[in-house]
Amino acid sequence: MPPREPRADGAARRRRASATTRSGAAAPRAARAPLASTRGGVPAPINRELSLLDFNRRVLALAERDDVPLLERLRFLCIVGSNMDEFFEIRVAGLRGALRSRIPPPGLTLHEVRADYARIAEAAHALVADQYRLLNGEVLPALAARGIRLLRDCDRTPAERAWISAFFEREVRPLLTPIGLDPAHPFPQIGNKTLNFVVELAGRDAFGRDTTIAIVKAPRVLPRVIKLPSDVAGDDSSFFLLSSAIQAHLALLFPGRRLVGYSQFRVTRDADLWIDEEEVKNLRQALTGELRTRQFGAPLRLEVAADCPPRLAQFLLAQFELSEQDLYRCEGPVNLMRLASLIDQVDDDELKYTAFVPGLPARLRGEPDVLAAVRRRDVLLHHPYESFEPVVEFIRCAATDPDVVAIKQSVYRTGANSALMEALIAAARAGKEVTVVVELMARFDEEANINWAERLEQEGAQVVYGVFGLKTHAKLALLLRRERDRSGRSRLVPYAHLGTGNYHPRTTRLYSDFGLLTTDPEICADVNEVFLHITSYARASRMNRLLLAPFTMHRRVIEMIRREARHAQQGKPARIVAKMNALAEEQVIRALYAASQAGVAIDLLVRGACTLRPGVPGLSDNIRVRSVLGRFLEHHRVWLFENDGAKDVWLSSADWMGRNLFRRIEVAFPVLDPALKTRVIDEGLDACLADNCDAWELAADGTWSHVKPRRGARRRSAQRLLLERLREKARDD
């Protein structure tokens, strides 16, 4: 472990906490709940929604950095846009639901919910303003300087304008159906996050009426970013937005009328799905019906162009029953995520992260048979630095190996195209006993999972949809292979894969996760027990090695934290290092506070939302919270408990949040092999604790500050270090 830096005194901590990036990466102090407020003598937790917005500010800070390739800076801007969509669809939806129903969440009053909502809206507006300021003030000008142009109508040459007009007439106009509003044509249904235009008209229509407002829906089948032909633009990197093309030709849609005002707009709706457990008899059928209505959930946010006339903005707010607080004026396209397609269309490697080919761990190099390699010893995979292909090959081997008789696997997110799922289908087709636990309620992946479930069932696989009311979030696969022991007797030998991330081909290239391939009999027996528990609802037998939520995990985590506190009080080595996506479970946080007071040194690596307050005198002096954000999404869940020098290392699918510990099927599994344990500590924890390029630190008041190298110190980026190690291994091979 790298030595912990000495604690800064209170004044120094406050100075660090107030530091900001150019976009103001530390959240405004006006948006903070006062540290003095207490609940049971403990400072009130940091607001979870504000903490999520701070996470997006840290992502936005990546888009500001000059050392990040230019197109990747644009990608981070797009990621912030996508994250903000989900923030409103899920987190804000919950707050608005509480306000509408006048039923506050447990532990809060309606007055507190309203106050929180106001602070969240203030912080969200500031974040969106900074997002567009960065896009228009830095990223787009820098791209233009490199010859990559996103052309507004006023920037286009006559030739470009003529080509776009012809494109509009040929490809766009036939798909547009303007709707003039009157009693026979009421305000239309506007789908979630769809692009639309509101138009104010003067003069009379073809029937002599003075209808003044019309709505134009943009076709969803057309791309939002279109490249101009090189012979028209004079280069191969000039683009325009579909919204810009429609806006430039709005007048053509209303011949004989005068346009008084117009604006693009987009509404974000509640996208959470609600299924009544007592009423549902077939979850898949019920969910299929719910998916059709997701597009028209309760409105939450209205985005309009920055120059939208006030009268039209107020008209739209009234239609969606939203307030001024819910109106977001955008200095650019109302859906920044659409600009990601521009990145994919630019062929300039200098403006993107350097490509790399994921390697293999030493224990698999030169091994043609992954099952044979795992029989000899456990294999640890660290994605995306190491390839996900061995996991796919693990299932492929099972599908083709005549001695493998059964496969069991859980599926949370796997994507629409998945070689792994195709391998499961092939195994079922080959007559293997294939059982797949498909989580139909995996948010925004429901449709893909339903499609895979149907295909698996068609090939004879046993498909189970988990436990109703509890999402199956555990990442598990189990093979049963008939083998002969030394005496020649036949027996079934289990092989297991356990992971911290999803069986998803795309995210395994973007998310950092650990996976373990093992034949350890106790771990494999526990994995089988988890599957039996999910499929039969039978009470799970006592686990030998695994922790299982919602049963044993929460209790054991708190027990391990308290054990460290006892060791510290007894003068024994005591330390906790835990890495996760989010930390918000109140009892775990209280146990960490108590451990800190007992003298336990605690380092928490929390990528996203964290409601714990570190560095509070007398309460959490010994707790440091870091967040590392870089090229890859830090997605591991890793726990290290010193345990008087034994160094217990756990990997898990679960964050320390109420939903993971009480409302999901989750597992945590130990790393038993000493060499692999060392790898997890080194690559998953130490590298991030030593990072002084991509790391942020959380202060007691809830603000984050970017960690900078000390004067004369070498710059250390955890992700770049691990990529460099991969290159060195490739050179050695």
Side-chain angles (χ1 to χ4, degrees):
M1 286 280 181
R4 288 167 65 95
E5 295 184 10
R7 291 286 180 192
D9 59 34
R13 280 201 303 267
R14 286 191 293 273
R15 284 195 296 273
R16 281 208 310 269
S18 63
T20 63
T21 63
R22 287 175 303 204
S23 69
R29 291 190 180 270
R32 299 293 165 193
L35 186 59
S37 63
T38 61
R39 292 176 186 172
V42 176
I46 297 168
N47 180 278
R48 180 178 168 187
E49 282 70 35
L50 289 175
S51 190
L52 276 171
L53 290 174
D54 280 346
F55 162 67
N56 281 297
R57 278 205 169 274
R58 298 195 294 279
V59 178
L60 185 63
L62 286 167
E64 293 183 297
R65 288 174 49 169
D66 295 332
D67 62 335
V68 173
L70 190 51
L71 285 172
E72 304 297 346
R73 293 175 66 185
L74 178 60
R75 194 187 306 277
F76 283 122
L77 275 170
C78 295
I79 290 171
V80 173
S82 177
N83 288 350
M84 289 298 287
D85 284 351
E86 185 171 343
F87 176 77
F88 278 91
E89 289 173 307
I90 306 302
R91 301 306 310 169
V92 173
L95 290 172
R96 287 295 296 271
L99 291 173
R100 279 194 300 268
S101 66
R102 302 184 64 80
I103 302 175
L108 292 176
T109 66
L110 275 176
H111 175 75
E112 288 173 320
V113 174
R114 290 191 191 95
D116 285 346
Y117 189 82
R119 288 196 296 269
I120 292 161
E122 178 188 353
H125 276 282
L127 176 59
V128 170
D130 287 338
Q131 187 183 11
Y132 282 96
R133 191 176 302 123
L134 179 59
L135 174 72
N136 297 313
E138 293 191 33
V139 175
L140 289 182
L143 286 171
R146 293 296 300 259
I148 302 167
R149 303 183 300 155
L150 185 62
L151 299 172
R152 298 172 299 170
D153 187 55
C154 61
D155 300 325
R156 298 166 191 157
T157 65
E160 292 167 344
R161 197 169 285 119
W163 190 91
I164 293 172
S165 292
F167 171 84
F168 176 82
E169 289 292 341
R170 183 180 67 253
E171 303 288 343
V172 183
R173 187 171 183 173
L175 301 178
L176 298 178
T177 306
I179 301 172
L181 304 187
D182 66 10
H185 301 88
F187 194 84
Q189 280 274 42
I190 301 296
N192 185 34
K193 299 184 297 186
T194 58
L195 174 64
N196 306 272
F197 285 83
V198 59
V199 182
E200 185 176 10
L201 302 164
R204 295 186 177 276
D205 64 19
F207 302 96
R209 299 171 302 178
D210 57 354
T211 52
T212 59
I213 302 293
I215 301 296
V216 181
K217 295 183 178 183
R220 304 196 75 171
V221 296
L222 294 178
R224 293 298 191 258
V225 180
I226 301 111
K227 180 186 283 191
L228 278 162
S230 56
D231 60 338
V232 174
D235 58 50
D236 196 39
S237 299
S238 290
F239 302 86
F240 66 94
L241 298 174
L242 176 66
S243 57
S244 174
I246 294 174
Q247 182 170 303
H249 298 88
L250 277 175
L252 298 178
L253 304 177
F254 305 97
R257 308 292 299 276
R258 181 170 61 85
L259 270 62
V260 176
Y262 53 83
S263 175
Q264 58 177 307
F265 74 92
R266 190 175 77 134
V267 65
T268 310
R269 297 179 178 273
D270 184 341
D272 230 347
L273 299 177
W274 299 95
I275 304 292
D276 188 336
E277 182 174 356
E278 295 182 358
E279 297 294 329
V280 169
K281 301 215 172 17
N282 185 311
L283 177 60
R284 192 169 80 190
Q285 289 180 3
L287 191 56
T288 301
E290 280 291 307
L291 285 172
R292 286 194 288 266
T293 64
R294 169 181 268 171
Q295 286 294 312
F296 304 106
L300 302 164
R301 171 182 61 165
L302 174 64
E303 295 169 283
V304 299
D307 59 355
C308 176
R311 181 169 176 269
L312 290 181
Q314 292 304 315
F315 170 79
L316 291 172
L317 286 173
Q319 295 300 316
F320 295 118
E321 298 181 347
L322 296 172
S323 68
E324 192 74 30
Q325 195 176 43
D326 307 313
L327 177 67
Y328 289 76
R329 291 183 174 272
C330 305
E331 291 281 355
V334 295
N335 185 354
L336 284 185
M337 185 58 194
R338 295 292 192 172
L339 293 180
S341 66
L342 183 151
I343 301 168
D344 299 333
Q345 295 180 69
V346 174
D347 185 18
D348 189 337
D349 292 340
E350 289 185 7
L351 302 184
K352 300 178 182 179
Y353 283 125
T354 303
F356 75 99
V357 178
L360 291 174
R363 295 184 179 187
L364 285 182
R365 282 184 222 139
E367 291 284 357
D369 185 343
V370 65
L371 297 185
V374 177
R375 271 198 297 275
R376 284 191 289 274
R377 52 186 174 175
D378 290 356
V379 174
L380 182 76
L381 296 165
H382 192 181
H383 314 301
Y385 311 103
E386 292 173 337
S387 175
F388 188 69
E389 188 59 26
V391 181
V392 178
E393 189 62 22
F394 182 69
I395 302 299
R396 281 197 189 119
C397 285
T400 57
D401 186 338
D403 293 324
V404 173
V405 297
I407 306 171
K408 302 180 182 183
Q409 183 163 348
S410 64
V411 171
Y412 189 73
R413 298 189 195 280
T414 190
N417 300 301
S418 172
L420 191 147
M421 296 301 289
E422 295 291 353
L424 286 173
I425 290 170
R429 191 180 296 134
K432 313 283 186 183
E433 293 294 328
V434 177
T435 302
V436 185
V437 179
V438 178
E439 179 48 67
L440 294 185
M441 296 291 286
R443 187 178 295 142
F444 303 124
D445 276 74
E446 300 95 344
E447 186 173 358
N449 287 1
I450 287 173
N451 291 338
W452 284 120
E454 290 176 345
R455 288 191 59 190
L456 284 161
E457 286 182 332
Q458 288 169 2
E459 297 296 340
Q462 177 67 51
V463 177
V464 179
Y465 301 133
V467 180
F468 197 93
L470 297 173
K471 288 186 179 181
T472 302
H473 194 245
K475 282 71 179 181
L476 304 170
L478 183 72
L479 314 182
L480 294 173
R481 188 173 188 270
R482 194 172 298 283
E483 299 178 0
R484 295 190 179 277
D485 60 20
R486 292 180 180 178
S487 65
R489 286 178 301 183
S490 175
R491 63 191 181 102
L492 289 177
V493 177
Y495 296 71
H497 173 266
L498 306 92
T500 67
N502 297 305
Y503 293 112
H504 194 299
R506 185 177 65 86
T507 60
T508 55
R509 297 193 295 269
L510 303 173
Y511 293 11
S512 61
D513 276 301
F514 283 117
L516 180 70
L517 291 164
T518 183
T519 57
D520 181 274
E522 290 187 316
I523 289 178
C524 289
D526 284 357
V527 170
N528 193 49
E529 281 294 325
V530 173
F531 279 112
L532 291 174
H533 178 60
I534 295 171
T535 58
S536 70
Y537 289 0
R539 187 180 296 274
S541 300
R542 182 178 178 85
M543 295 285 168
N544 298 297
R545 293 292 187 179
L546 302 191
L547 307 183
L548 177 63
F551 301 103
T552 61
M553 187 181 294
H554 180 257
R555 173 175 54 82
R556 287 290 309 281
V557 166
I558 289 180
E559 285 176 356
M560 288 188 284
I561 295 172
R562 289 174 176 167
R563 182 186 62 194
E564 295 301 314
R566 289 194 303 273
H567 286 170
Q569 290 167 337
Q570 296 164 3
K572 297 178 180 179
R575 191 177 184 202
I576 298 169
V577 185
K579 184 176 188 180
M580 61 204 74
N581 297 331
L583 170 59
E585 206 286 309
E586 184 175 353
Q587 294 180 63
V588 170
I589 290 173
R590 286 179 177 269
L592 290 169
Y593 285 157
S596 171
Q597 291 172 297
V600 180
I602 301 172
D603 281 292
L604 302 173
L605 293 159
V606 186
R607 187 196 78 227
C610 177
T611 64
L612 175 147
R613 294 186 185 274
V616 177
L619 178 73
S620 55
D621 310 70
N622 292 310
I623 301 178
R624 177 172 64 171
V625 178
R626 278 192 158 210
S627 174
V628 173
L629 284 87
R631 173 176 181 173
F632 306 119
L633 187 83
E634 294 288 329
H635 195 251
H636 322 80
R637 286 86 163 190
V638 185
W639 315 333
L640 167 63
F641 296 95
E642 183 65 30
N643 193 16
D644 192 18
K647 287 187 168 54
D648 296 342
V649 174
W650 295 84
L651 300 176
S652 181
S653 58
D655 296 313
W656 287 353
M657 298 178 67
R659 71 179 187 187
N660 300 87
L661 298 172
F662 300 117
R663 300 189 298 279
R664 290 185 174 185
I665 305 292
E666 304 269 18
V667 297
F669 52 98
V671 181
L672 303 175
D673 183 302
L676 299 188
K677 184 188 294 189
T678 299
R679 271 195 65 196
V680 170
I681 295 172
D682 176 42
E683 298 173 17
L685 299 176
D686 285 358
C688 290
L689 293 176
D691 194 307
N692 60 15
C693 294
D694 302 329
W696 296 71
E697 285 199 2
L698 177 63
D701 67 351
T703 55
W704 292 85
S705 58
H706 195 188
V707 176
K708 301 291 179 63
R710 292 177 176 177
R711 181 173 297 178
R714 185 169 62 90
R715 290 173 59 84
R716 296 188 297 269
S717 164
Q719 295 185 0
R720 292 174 190 172
L721 170 67
L722 292 172
L723 279 174
E724 185 56 37
R725 287 186 189 174
L726 178 69
R727 295 189 190 100
E728 290 175 2
K729 287 179 182 177
R731 285 195 293 268
D732 293 341
D733 292 344

